[in-house]
Amino acid sequence: MNFLFASNIYQERRNKLSAAFSTGIALFLSNNESPANYPSNTYHYRQDSNFLYFFGLSLPNIVGVIDFEQKKSLLFGNDFEIDDIIWMGDQPKLSDLAVEVAVDEVRPLSELSSFLKNKQVHFTPPYRADNKIELTRLLKKNIEELIPSTELIKRIVALREIKSPEEIEQMENANEIGVQMHTFVMKHCKPGVSERELFGIAEGIALSMGSGPSFPIILSQNGQTLHNHNHNLILEKGRLLVMDAGAENVMNYCSDHTRTMPVSGTFSPMQKEIYETVYQANMAGIANCKPGIQNIENHKLAVTVLTEGLQRIGLMKGNIEESVALGAHALFMPHGLGHQIGLDVHDMEDLGENFVGYDETIQRSKIFGWGSLRMAKTLKPGHIISVEPGIYFIPHLIDIWKNEKRFEAFINYDKVETYRNFGGIRIEDCVLITEEGHRVLGTHLPKSVSEIENILQS
């Protein structure tokens, strides 16, 4: 079943892309079914996001074309046959589906190769092996000769990164599902419960209300591992549970929240100090979101707030401005403040992270920590970004930096050793940039110390 916007929305998107080109065509391959362990047992189907944006249809084995010279759009594909219908039931004709997304012309898939002959073909970076192979066949090139169109990438980013009112509505819906996922886990976070049980029910909520999680759920007491997908532990009193999870709704728009909660129901004094520091960085980063601000400045603000807090606790020292500029804080927060969100949880990163988060006005830093910032460029109305500061105590990283005597002028390693088994804390929200400033998407999800403790104890 296809959940679609009004047909004119897809037509307008294609027209805007087409207006930027005078020659050639844009080629969009759908994703195919992906076998889990044998051909007919497949993973949950997920369409390519660029195909969804311009053609809307969540179907495998079709190809979308935007002809820049003829100023028209085409779908290449085949109708389902009786063998398919026996297993799947009645299926719509491709020509009927084309009407729903305002495509001008439908042709059999067998005609695609001849149609492409002698044409200038623009395509985006293929990220699935089968589509790489298909492109080599269609374009008569070796894999190493498949050079994506930089101009097409830039034009798509410019269109997709500014969310329309219809898209923002879908993003609100995805965030509401995400809030339900996190709220359930908060209400059932207590000693003796298994991580796997909470993970499974959270994933079930995402599936029952939408298309499933927007990425593999991170739910772990070992929050010092940034993307921890292990759920084998039983919740223990005195530990912290980090949950980084989002939902993908039926229109394939995504959310992304992170919350950290004390399994005991109450933060210990040590946990509270670190949590309050991350919370203040999260709130400062959100408050500074507005049009015209480079997001790297929000990152700088957040890590400065973290550094100030870590100095108050005694984990860091020295000149704060110099410490931040050199990246000493990255021992505790080695990642960036956030990323764009939309049809992908890390929106459009299949097109290349530097095209999405950077442009001619700003280049990626080579400093550890700073270089991990995914979204650095100037914020505009319609951008949706995550704001997700964190503090982590990563034993291997601590050992390496301590042995190298790295940033000894800024880090109190003796004090850090007393936090070696602390784990990690991250707090994340989805933020829409508006004409006036910003708006956090979704119903408020408990975040302050008192809010977290109240829901855990309720």
Side-chain angles (χ1 to χ4, degrees):
M1 182 178 184
N2 287 288
F3 294 89
L4 298 168
F5 291 119
S7 61
N8 66 294
I9 290 177
Y10 300 103
Q11 187 174 44
E12 289 170 4
R13 290 171 175 177
R14 295 192 297 266
N15 288 346
K16 286 179 180 177
L17 183 64
S18 186
F21 295 84
S22 57
T23 60
I25 67 168
L27 181 68
F28 297 94
L29 303 183
S30 70
N31 280 341
N32 296 318
E33 296 281 11
S34 182
N37 52 354
Y38 56 89
S40 62
N41 187 28
T42 60
Y43 290 105
H44 174 72
Y45 181 72
R46 176 50 155 88
Q47 183 60 286
D48 172 73
S49 294
N50 292 308
F51 195 99
L52 284 172
Y53 186 80
F54 291 109
F55 293 93
L57 302 176
S58 189
L59 292 171
N61 305 315
I62 54 177
V63 176
V65 169
I66 302 175
D67 190 324
F68 297 140
E69 297 174 23
Q70 300 297 320
K71 301 302 180 186
K72 68 177 183 179
S73 56
L74 304 90
L75 279 174
F76 289 83
N78 303 320
D79 287 325
F80 289 97
E81 298 180 349
I82 186 61
D83 286 347
D84 305 303
I85 293 170
I86 288 171
W87 295 100
M88 300 166 62
D90 289 337
Q91 300 295 313
K93 298 285 188 183
L94 189 57
S95 56
D96 293 332
L97 293 173
V99 172
E100 294 188 46
V101 293
V103 166
D104 302 300
E105 189 176 334
V106 174
R107 296 191 188 184
L109 200 55
S110 60
E111 295 184 11
L112 180 59
S113 291
S114 60
F115 175 83
L116 296 177
K117 193 173 296 183
N118 300 322
K119 285 185 169 64
Q120 179 188 10
V121 180
H122 300 269
F123 59 91
T124 58
Y127 53 89
R128 287 195 174 188
D130 54 344
N131 275 345
K132 289 182 182 181
I133 293 169
E134 180 65 4
L135 278 174
T136 64
R137 186 187 70 81
L138 290 170
L139 303 180
K140 306 293 190 292
K141 295 177 181 290
N142 296 322
I143 284 182
E144 60 270 15
E145 296 175 316
L146 294 177
I147 309 299
S149 167
T150 298
E151 186 61 24
L152 180 63
I153 290 169
K154 289 181 177 180
R155 296 293 181 178
I156 291 175
V157 169
L159 287 173
R160 282 185 55 188
E161 71 178 356
I162 305 302
K163 305 301 187 286
S164 67
E166 297 87 2
E167 291 181 291
I168 293 168
E169 182 180 359
Q170 296 301 320
M171 293 288 291
E172 286 279 16
N173 174 249
N175 275 268
E176 289 298 334
I177 301 171
V179 167
Q180 294 296 319
M181 295 164 67
H182 280 265
T183 300
F184 177 89
V185 170
M186 288 178 180
K187 290 182 176 179
H188 294 81
C189 173
K190 58 190 70 177
V193 176
S194 73
E195 292 176 348
R196 186 167 299 281
E197 178 184 351
L198 297 179
F199 154 78
I201 296 176
E203 186 169 83
I205 292 170
L207 286 164
S208 67
M209 299 179 71
S211 296
S214 52
F215 59 96
I217 292 172
I218 299 162
L219 190 152
S220 175
Q221 293 168 107
N222 286 318
Q224 74 279 2
T225 303
L226 303 186
H227 285 176
N228 195 333
H229 299 300
N230 186 302
H231 314 292
N232 291 338
L233 301 179
I234 303 299
L235 300 195
E236 298 178 20
K237 186 176 181 179
R239 298 197 68 178
L240 293 167
L241 179 67
V242 174
M243 179 179 177
D244 186 342
E248 183 176 314
N249 80 343
V250 294
M251 291 285 285
N252 303 108
Y253 285 86
C254 299
S255 66
D256 191 2
H257 294 93
T258 306
R259 291 295 185 265
T260 305
M261 57 209 87
V263 176
S264 305
T266 305
F267 290 99
S268 71
M270 178 184 282
Q271 291 170 344
K272 185 177 179 179
E273 277 188 319
I274 299 294
Y275 189 92
E276 287 281 13
T277 300
V278 178
Y279 174 75
Q280 289 164 12
N282 170 269
M283 296 296 283
I286 292 173
N288 206 49
C289 285
K290 58 186 174 183
I293 293 287
Q294 285 192 327
N295 201 48
I296 195 169
E297 292 301 317
N298 289 341
H299 175 83
K300 180 180 179 181
L301 173 63
V303 298
T304 298
V305 171
L306 288 182
T307 301
E308 292 169 348
L310 290 167
Q311 285 202 7
R312 285 193 297 271
I313 296 167
L315 291 162
M316 295 190 73
K317 58 187 177 180
N319 182 277
I320 291 175
E321 185 175 352
E322 183 182 0
S323 171
V324 167
L326 294 173
H329 63 274
L331 175 65
F332 306 98
M333 181 178 152
H335 61 78
L337 185 62
H339 49 82
Q340 292 201 50
I341 312 173
L343 280 168
D344 313 299
V345 69
H346 286 183
D347 208 24
M348 301 175 287
E349 287 189 7
D350 63 299
L351 300 176
E353 193 177 300
N354 285 341
F355 288 115
V356 180
Y358 294 81
D359 57 24
E360 293 77 11
T361 68
I362 186 166
Q363 302 299 311
R364 186 184 293 272
S365 172
K366 295 181 179 180
I367 298 173
F368 180 74
W370 285 95
S372 297
L373 179 60
R374 288 184 160 99
M375 173 61 176
K377 65 188 182 185
T378 301
L379 299 177
K380 301 175 184 177
H383 275 150
I384 297 179
I385 61 171
S386 68
V387 177
E388 50 178 309
I391 292 177
Y392 316 87
F393 295 88
I394 306 168
H396 290 301
L397 187 61
I398 293 168
D399 290 342
I400 291 171
W401 280 34
K402 184 178 180 180
N403 290 338
E404 294 178 353
K405 303 184 186 305
R406 191 179 301 187
F407 297 128
E408 284 190 321
F410 303 114
I411 299 170
N412 288 319
Y413 283 105
D414 289 343
K415 180 82 169 183
V416 170
E417 283 295 334
T418 66
Y419 284 75
R420 171 176 284 271
N421 298 317
F422 182 94
I425 291 173
R426 181 164 64 253
I427 306 173
E428 176 182 18
D429 297 286
C430 297
V431 181
L432 166 69
I433 307 303
T434 65
E435 295 286 349
E436 299 76 23
H438 69 269
R439 175 161 60 86
V440 177
L441 296 182
T443 302
H444 178 70
L445 184 60
K447 183 165 61 171
S448 70
V449 166
S450 60
E451 289 173 334
I452 294 287
E453 290 182 343
N454 285 342
I455 194 169
L456 289 173
Q457 296 168 19
S458 66

